[in-house]
Amino acid sequence: SGWMQSPGSKIVNDSTKWGKLESYVKDIIKSFKADNRILLWDLYNEPGNTGQLNKSLPLLKAVFRLTREVGPSQPVSVSVWNYSTKFDSLNNFSLNNSDVITFHQYSKLDDVKKVVKDLRKYNRPLMCTEYMARTNNSKFATHLPYFKKENISAINWGLVSGKTQTIYPWGSKQGSPEPEVWFHDIFRSDGTPFDKREVKLIKEVTGKR
C-alpha cells in the first residue's frame, strides 16, 4: 500500500510538536471555511488505531478545539470506527462533538444495522464514511440500497485499482496474485469495471442512469 499514517504516533503522543499541526489545521480550514464545495470536515481518521487507544484523546480534543476557533461554515465530524468498550472515551467525545455523525463499518449488513440503530439516538444526520469490503460481506448490492432507504450518506473511498493496492485484503503479502474477488475499488486501471453489475446498481441507486 502507498498509504501512510499522518501525522504518525510520535507526533500524536508529543504535544510539544503540535505547533505545526495547529498552523496547518487553522490555515487549511480558514482558507476554505466558506467554500460551498466543502461538504464536511472529517478532522481525525480513526483515533485510537494501531494500539493508540486513549493516547489519541488529547489530540482529538485539540483538533476539535482548533477547528471551532476558526469557525467554519461547514459541519465537522470524527468517525467512530471501533465499537468495543475500549474505545468508549474516544467514541463518546467524537459523537458528542460532531455536527454530523459519521462512522466506518466493513462488515455484513446486519452489523451495519446494529450500529445505525445505536447512532440514531444522537438525532443528527448519518454518514458512513468507510465501507465496502467484498470479502467481508460488505457489498454495494447489500449495503447501498439500505443506505439509500435510510437516508444515510455513504462513501466508498476507493475507485480505481492503483497505488493504494486496496483490491487486496488487509495484511496481504507483497507479490500476492490478483484476488478473484477484489477487496475494494471499482475500476481497473484501463477504466473497465471489476463487476459491471455493481456499476449498474450504483447508477440506479444514485439516479445517474
Side-chain angles (χ1 to χ4, degrees):
S1 174
W3 178 87
M4 293 292 289
Q5 280 197 328
S6 177
S9 58
K10 289 184 179 180
I11 294 177
V12 171
N13 296 333
D14 186 354
S15 60
T16 65
K17 294 185 170 69
W18 291 359
K20 289 184 178 180
L21 291 180
E22 178 175 357
S23 298
Y24 172 76
V25 169
K26 287 188 171 181
D27 179 54
I28 292 294
I29 294 178
K30 184 177 180 181
S31 297
F32 298 98
K33 62 184 286 186
D35 194 322
N36 61 15
R37 294 172 298 178
I38 306 295
L39 175 67
L40 173 142
W41 294 100
D42 191 352
L43 302 178
Y44 194 143
N45 184 56
E46 297 191 348
N49 205 345
T50 61
Q52 283 286 100
L53 293 174
N54 286 337
K55 292 179 183 178
S56 298
L57 188 57
L59 183 58
L60 177 64
K61 292 181 176 180
V63 75
F64 268 105
R65 174 179 55 79
L66 297 174
T67 301
R68 297 296 189 191
E69 287 175 2
V70 177
S73 61
Q74 308 93 342
V76 301
S77 185
V78 168
S79 297
V80 292
W81 65 279
N82 189 308
Y83 306 97
S84 74
T85 56
K86 293 180 180 179
F87 284 78
D88 281 353
S89 294
L90 291 164
N91 290 344
N92 288 337
F93 187 85
S94 296
L95 292 167
N96 285 302
N97 287 275
S98 294
D99 301 316
V100 172
I101 301 300
T102 57
F103 65 99
H104 299 175
Q105 179 54 272
Y106 287 101
S107 188
K108 62 185 184 294
L109 185 58
D110 284 346
D111 293 336
V112 175
K113 290 180 178 180
K114 291 176 183 177
V115 170
V116 168
K117 182 179 179 181
D118 186 55
L119 296 179
R120 286 290 192 197
K121 66 185 180 184
Y122 292 91
N123 197 31
R124 295 176 207 158
L126 293 182
M127 178 182 292
C128 181
T129 49
E130 288 191 27
Y131 84 107
M132 214 291 282
R134 296 176 184 91
T135 52
N136 283 7
N137 285 315
S138 178
K139 302 176 182 179
F140 289 121
T142 52
H143 290 46
L144 199 55
Y146 168 76
F147 288 140
K148 177 73 172 181
K149 177 177 176 289
E150 294 295 324
N151 198 30
I152 298 170
S153 302
I155 299 171
N156 68 290
W157 46 268
L159 184 63
V160 180
S161 172
K163 184 180 180 182
T164 56
Q165 300 290 308
T166 48
I167 68 171
Y168 300 95
W170 297 310
S172 295
K173 295 181 179 179
Q174 187 171 354
S176 296
E178 178 182 326
E180 181 178 348
V181 177
W182 284 8
F183 184 75
H184 201 66
D185 294 323
I186 300 172
F187 295 102
R188 300 182 182 278
S189 58
D190 64 3
T192 58
F194 167 72
D195 187 335
K196 292 181 180 179
R197 294 169 300 178
E198 288 181 343
V199 173
K200 182 176 183 291
L201 174 69
I202 292 168
K203 289 180 177 180
E204 289 174 349
V205 172
T206 59
K208 300 297 183 181
R209 286 188 288 180

